[in-house]
Amino acid sequence: MNLKVKMYKGELWYGGSVAEAAHNPFDESSLYDYDMEYGSNQTMPLFVSTMGRYIWCEAPMRVHIENGEFDLTANEDIILCEAGKTLKDAYLHAQNKYFKFNGKVPPLKFFESAQYNTWMELDYHQNQADILKYAHGIVDNGYEAGIIMIDEGWHTRYGIWDWDYVKFPDPKAMIDELHALGFKVMLWVVPLVTPDGQHFAMSYFKYHNYLEGASGDKEYFLRNDDGKVALIEWWNGVSAILNMCNPDDREFLDSKLRRLINEFGVDGFKFDGGNIEMYAPRSIVNGVQTKYTPQQLNEAWNEFGTRYEYHEYKDTFKGGGKSVIQRLQDRAHSWDGHGINTIIPSALLQGLIGHPFICPDMIGGGWWSLNYTPGFKIDGELFVRMAQVSALFPMMQFSWAPWRVLDKRHAELCKSAADLHKRFAPYIVKLVEESAISGEPIVRHMEYEFPAQGFGRTLDQFMLGSEVLVAPVITKGAIKREVKLPKGKWSYLGKTDYSGGTTVTVDAPLEILPYFYKK
């Protein structure tokens, strides 16, 4: 189907893929092309407008915007709805009709304190000794034990889903020790299988009960149209990939992950990969498959992980309305480009397409190759400001250990950001519980909460719920912050009162994250 939608004068639109957040909002001057067939991060076939309209489709849309007009194409009907007068009207109407939340609340442990991920701290060199050292460092430096995610490298080959016992001589003892410290433990998992060795060789014919976790005459892995196992290009090379639309593949992986839970005490999993691009025909190196769409395969991968209480995803198609923990794609350790400047716009878009339970990327950035860039140095000021941006999100996540990579002053300020998140935890938890029913964003666009006050293009401040306005500093060297206040009375840090409906300038030295309470 094809649908053309003419924008109204002054109308702003938001939607599509979070990876494209920098292009939002769309207006009469926008020139834009995007194909949701290859969407990344969170992608929804939804656009919502500041004048109460929305566009919805059950299938990915090919989007062209020019001369103030959407030109949309999809394999399903594309719906244009006049839902009301405001951005909030548009979002809530679409959400209630097409992706209504079910009231299920994710584990509160995700929100009550900072999380910790071992990726940037150890990258591919995950090992038992250093993980325990990292965990003890968290507690010894005054941080609260929360969720700790052991990232890529805890396993042997991709697709074995078992410990590398050289690097982890006693994983059960390690997890017991982490639990004793107060942590919940999650492991990094992908649906990929290295294309050599036992697992891959046996995929060419029927299993016969002698591979643990596989049984009967079952055929595993995504197949191309000539019946061969499809080989997929991804960031670690070429691999086979599980087909989570196939109940046999789901049963097979579940048996592997349940073993990690039952024998070692693992609490849950960080589900990586399985994104649309991996399943797309152009990523299959030995033919193509047409039985399933990449979107169906991605949706099945995301649905699979919700059977585990503790889970996390970052690449989802049509995942709005689900009580799934979502995070942003990897950010750069930079002030511009793909760095701190992109975190708030991306989070605002996540909320407007139905993903309230969000975590920004690891504080300091999560692009692992930074560790190997010649001359790379961590910017302490940037690190602190990234911690502050994260502090009043629903979740915040450390990886690089501040006490190891920063000087004393900057490390203490990161600890202060974690303490601030902890102080706000009761309010954040309240918002999480409300959002699980209402579907409303937790990190809210100013225009969503205060329509027709000129906030449509405000992308560097946000509302935490309806009561707290947060205006992080995202400019290097800045010690003051201009903040656009909505009409009404506002209290800066609970100390100084301001009348809204104007722009104010507040002091914001490195020690301060500017935020206001609505009075």
Side-chain angles (χ1 to χ4, degrees), residues 126-156:
Q126 308 291 316
N127 67 89
Q128 182 169 335
D130 284 336
I131 286 169
L132 288 173
K133 180 180 178 181
Y134 179 56
H136 280 278
I138 292 167
V139 176
D140 293 346
N141 283 276
Y143 290 81
E144 181 167 335
I147 292 171
I148 188 167
M149 300 180 185
I150 300 174
D151 217 286
E152 183 174 2
W154 63 270
H155 45 81
T156 53

Short mmCIF file of all heavy atoms in Angstrom, two decimals, residues 126-156:
data_model
loop_
_atom_site.label_atom_id
_atom_site.label_comp_id
_atom_site.label_asym_id
_atom_site.label_seq_id
_atom_site.Cartn_x
_atom_site.Cartn_y
_atom_site.Cartn_z
N GLN A 126 36.95 -11.42 29.31
CA GLN A 126 36.19 -11.74 30.52
C GLN A 126 36.85 -12.91 31.25
O GLN A 126 37.26 -13.89 30.63
CB GLN A 126 34.75 -12.10 30.15
CG GLN A 126 34.03 -11.09 29.27
CD GLN A 126 33.72 -9.79 29.97
OE1 GLN A 126 33.27 -9.79 31.12
NE2 GLN A 126 33.96 -8.67 29.30
N ASN A 127 36.93 -12.80 32.58
CA ASN A 127 37.51 -13.90 33.36
C ASN A 127 37.06 -13.78 34.81
O ASN A 127 36.71 -12.70 35.29
CB ASN A 127 39.04 -13.91 33.26
CG ASN A 127 39.67 -12.71 33.91
OD1 ASN A 127 39.97 -12.75 35.11
ND2 ASN A 127 39.87 -11.62 33.16
N GLN A 128 37.07 -14.89 35.48
CA GLN A 128 36.52 -14.99 36.82
C GLN A 128 37.23 -14.05 37.80
O GLN A 128 36.58 -13.33 38.57
CB GLN A 128 36.63 -16.43 37.31
CG GLN A 128 36.04 -16.67 38.70
CD GLN A 128 35.91 -18.15 39.02
OE1 GLN A 128 35.81 -18.98 38.12
NE2 GLN A 128 35.90 -18.49 40.30
N ALA A 129 38.55 -14.03 37.79
CA ALA A 129 39.31 -13.23 38.76
C ALA A 129 39.00 -11.74 38.61
O ALA A 129 38.76 -11.04 39.60
CB ALA A 129 40.81 -13.50 38.60
N ASP A 130 39.01 -11.26 37.38
CA ASP A 130 38.80 -9.82 37.18
C ASP A 130 37.35 -9.42 37.40
O ASP A 130 37.08 -8.28 37.82
CB ASP A 130 39.25 -9.42 35.77
CG ASP A 130 40.76 -9.34 35.65
OD1 ASP A 130 41.43 -9.13 36.68
OD2 ASP A 130 41.28 -9.49 34.53
N ILE A 131 36.41 -10.29 37.13
CA ILE A 131 35.01 -9.98 37.40
C ILE A 131 34.77 -9.85 38.90
O ILE A 131 34.10 -8.93 39.37
CB ILE A 131 34.08 -11.03 36.76
CG1 ILE A 131 34.05 -10.81 35.24
CG2 ILE A 131 32.67 -10.94 37.34
CD1 ILE A 131 33.40 -11.92 34.47
N LEU A 132 35.35 -10.75 39.66
CA LEU A 132 35.21 -10.65 41.12
C LEU A 132 35.92 -9.40 41.65
O LEU A 132 35.42 -8.73 42.56
CB LEU A 132 35.77 -11.91 41.79
CG LEU A 132 34.91 -13.17 41.61
CD1 LEU A 132 35.63 -14.39 42.17
CD2 LEU A 132 33.55 -12.99 42.30
N LYS A 133 37.07 -9.07 41.07
CA LYS A 133 37.76 -7.85 41.46
C LYS A 133 36.89 -6.63 41.17
O LYS A 133 36.80 -5.70 42.00
CB LYS A 133 39.09 -7.75 40.72
CG LYS A 133 39.91 -6.52 41.05
CD LYS A 133 41.22 -6.50 40.25
CE LYS A 133 42.02 -5.24 40.53
NZ LYS A 133 43.28 -5.20 39.73
N TYR A 134 36.27 -6.61 40.01
CA TYR A 134 35.39 -5.51 39.62
C TYR A 134 34.20 -5.41 40.58
O TYR A 134 33.86 -4.33 41.06
CB TYR A 134 34.93 -5.75 38.19
CG TYR A 134 33.99 -4.72 37.60
CD1 TYR A 134 34.33 -3.37 37.55
CD2 TYR A 134 32.77 -5.11 37.05
CE1 TYR A 134 33.47 -2.43 36.98
CE2 TYR A 134 31.91 -4.18 36.47
CZ TYR A 134 32.26 -2.84 36.45
OH TYR A 134 31.41 -1.93 35.87
N ALA A 135 33.58 -6.53 40.88
CA ALA A 135 32.41 -6.54 41.76
C ALA A 135 32.77 -6.06 43.17
O ALA A 135 32.04 -5.27 43.78
CB ALA A 135 31.80 -7.93 41.81
N HIS A 136 33.88 -6.54 43.69
CA HIS A 136 34.31 -6.07 45.01
C HIS A 136 34.65 -4.59 44.98
O HIS A 136 34.39 -3.87 45.95
CB HIS A 136 35.50 -6.90 45.49
CG HIS A 136 35.12 -8.23 46.07
ND1 HIS A 136 34.68 -8.37 47.38
CD2 HIS A 136 35.08 -9.47 45.52
CE1 HIS A 136 34.40 -9.65 47.61
NE2 HIS A 136 34.64 -10.34 46.49
N GLY A 137 35.21 -4.13 43.85
CA GLY A 137 35.51 -2.71 43.72
C GLY A 137 34.26 -1.85 43.77
O GLY A 137 34.26 -0.76 44.34
N ILE A 138 33.18 -2.34 43.17
CA ILE A 138 31.90 -1.64 43.21
C ILE A 138 31.47 -1.41 44.66
O ILE A 138 31.16 -0.29 45.08
CB ILE A 138 30.82 -2.44 42.44
CG1 ILE A 138 31.13 -2.44 40.94
CG2 ILE A 138 29.43 -1.88 42.72
CD1 ILE A 138 30.33 -3.45 40.15
N VAL A 139 31.47 -2.48 45.42
CA VAL A 139 31.02 -2.41 46.81
C VAL A 139 32.01 -1.63 47.67
O VAL A 139 31.62 -0.78 48.48
CB VAL A 139 30.80 -3.84 47.37
CG1 VAL A 139 30.43 -3.78 48.84
CG2 VAL A 139 29.72 -4.56 46.57
N ASP A 140 33.30 -1.89 47.49
CA ASP A 140 34.32 -1.23 48.30
C ASP A 140 34.35 0.27 48.08
O ASP A 140 34.78 1.03 48.97
CB ASP A 140 35.70 -1.82 48.01
CG ASP A 140 35.84 -3.27 48.48
OD1 ASP A 140 34.97 -3.71 49.26
OD2 ASP A 140 36.80 -3.94 48.04
N ASN A 141 33.93 0.72 46.90
CA ASN A 141 33.93 2.14 46.60
C ASN A 141 32.59 2.81 46.89
O ASN A 141 32.34 3.95 46.46
CB ASN A 141 34.35 2.38 45.15
CG ASN A 141 35.84 2.24 44.96
OD1 ASN A 141 36.60 3.19 45.19
ND2 ASN A 141 36.29 1.06 44.55
N GLY A 142 31.73 2.10 47.61
CA GLY A 142 30.51 2.70 48.11
C GLY A 142 29.31 2.64 47.20
O GLY A 142 28.25 3.20 47.52
N TYR A 143 29.42 1.98 46.05
CA TYR A 143 28.28 1.79 45.18
C TYR A 143 27.41 0.66 45.70
O TYR A 143 27.91 -0.28 46.35
CB TYR A 143 28.73 1.45 43.76
CG TYR A 143 29.38 2.58 43.01
CD1 TYR A 143 30.72 2.90 43.22
CD2 TYR A 143 28.66 3.33 42.07
CE1 TYR A 143 31.33 3.94 42.51
CE2 TYR A 143 29.26 4.37 41.37
CZ TYR A 143 30.59 4.67 41.59
OH TYR A 143 31.19 5.69 40.91
N GLU A 144 26.14 0.73 45.40
CA GLU A 144 25.24 -0.33 45.82
C GLU A 144 25.30 -1.49 44.82
O GLU A 144 25.28 -1.27 43.61
CB GLU A 144 23.80 0.18 45.92
CG GLU A 144 22.82 -0.89 46.39
CD GLU A 144 21.48 -0.32 46.79
OE1 GLU A 144 21.43 0.87 47.16
OE2 GLU A 144 20.48 -1.05 46.73
N ALA A 145 25.41 -2.69 45.34
CA ALA A 145 25.36 -3.86 44.47
C ALA A 145 24.01 -3.90 43.78
O ALA A 145 22.97 -3.73 44.41
CB ALA A 145 25.59 -5.13 45.27
N GLY A 146 24.03 -4.12 42.46
CA GLY A 146 22.79 -4.20 41.70
C GLY A 146 22.87 -5.35 40.73
O GLY A 146 23.31 -6.45 41.08
N ILE A 147 22.48 -5.11 39.50
CA ILE A 147 22.61 -6.13 38.45
C ILE A 147 24.01 -6.01 37.86
O ILE A 147 24.47 -4.91 37.55
CB ILE A 147 21.54 -5.92 37.38
CG1 ILE A 147 20.15 -6.23 37.95
CG2 ILE A 147 21.82 -6.79 36.14
CD1 ILE A 147 19.01 -5.85 37.04
N ILE A 148 24.68 -7.13 37.71
CA ILE A 148 25.96 -7.15 37.02
C ILE A 148 25.82 -8.05 35.80
O ILE A 148 25.32 -9.18 35.89
CB ILE A 148 27.12 -7.62 37.93
CG1 ILE A 148 28.47 -7.43 37.24
CG2 ILE A 148 26.93 -9.04 38.44
CD1 ILE A 148 29.66 -7.56 38.16
N MET A 149 26.21 -7.53 34.65
CA MET A 149 26.12 -8.27 33.39
C MET A 149 27.51 -8.68 32.95
O MET A 149 28.37 -7.83 32.74
CB MET A 149 25.46 -7.41 32.31
CG MET A 149 24.07 -6.96 32.64
SD MET A 149 23.36 -5.95 31.30
CE MET A 149 21.80 -5.45 32.05
N ILE A 150 27.72 -9.99 32.84
CA ILE A 150 28.98 -10.52 32.34
C ILE A 150 28.85 -10.61 30.83
O ILE A 150 28.03 -11.35 30.31
CB ILE A 150 29.30 -11.88 32.96
CG1 ILE A 150 29.39 -11.74 34.49
CG2 ILE A 150 30.59 -12.45 32.39
CD1 ILE A 150 29.56 -13.05 35.23
N ASP A 151 29.67 -9.86 30.13
CA ASP A 151 29.46 -9.67 28.70
C ASP A 151 30.23 -10.70 27.87
O ASP A 151 30.75 -11.70 28.39
CB ASP A 151 29.80 -8.24 28.30
CG ASP A 151 28.87 -7.69 27.24
OD1 ASP A 151 29.01 -8.10 26.06
OD2 ASP A 151 28.00 -6.86 27.57
N GLU A 152 30.29 -10.43 26.59
CA GLU A 152 30.85 -11.36 25.60
C GLU A 152 32.25 -11.83 25.99
O GLU A 152 33.13 -11.01 26.30
CB GLU A 152 30.90 -10.67 24.24
CG GLU A 152 31.39 -11.54 23.11
CD GLU A 152 31.27 -10.85 21.76
OE1 GLU A 152 30.83 -9.68 21.72
OE2 GLU A 152 31.60 -11.48 20.75
N GLY A 153 32.45 -13.16 25.95
CA GLY A 153 33.74 -13.73 26.26
C GLY A 153 33.73 -14.68 27.43
O GLY A 153 34.74 -15.32 27.73
N TRP A 154 32.60 -14.83 28.12
CA TRP A 154 32.51 -15.78 29.24
C TRP A 154 32.45 -17.23 28.75
O TRP A 154 32.73 -18.15 29.51
CB TRP A 154 31.27 -15.48 30.09
CG TRP A 154 29.97 -15.67 29.35
CD1 TRP A 154 29.29 -14.73 28.64
CD2 TRP A 154 29.20 -16.86 29.25
NE1 TRP A 154 28.15 -15.25 28.08
CE2 TRP A 154 28.07 -16.57 28.44
CE3 TRP A 154 29.34 -18.17 29.75
CZ2 TRP A 154 27.10 -17.51 28.13
CZ3 TRP A 154 28.37 -19.12 29.44
CH2 TRP A 154 27.27 -18.78 28.65
N HIS A 155 32.13 -17.41 27.49
CA HIS A 155 31.84 -18.70 26.87
C HIS A 155 33.03 -19.15 26.03
O HIS A 155 34.01 -18.43 25.86
CB HIS A 155 30.62 -18.54 25.95
CG HIS A 155 30.74 -17.29 25.11
ND1 HIS A 155 31.49 -17.23 23.95
CD2 HIS A 155 30.24 -16.04 25.32
CE1 HIS A 155 31.45 -16.00 23.47
NE2 HIS A 155 30.70 -15.25 24.28
N THR A 156 32.89 -20.34 25.47
CA THR A 156 33.89 -20.79 24.48
C THR A 156 33.41 -20.29 23.11
O THR A 156 33.20 -19.11 22.93
CB THR A 156 34.06 -22.31 24.52
OG1 THR A 156 32.78 -22.94 24.38
CG2 THR A 156 34.69 -22.73 25.84
#
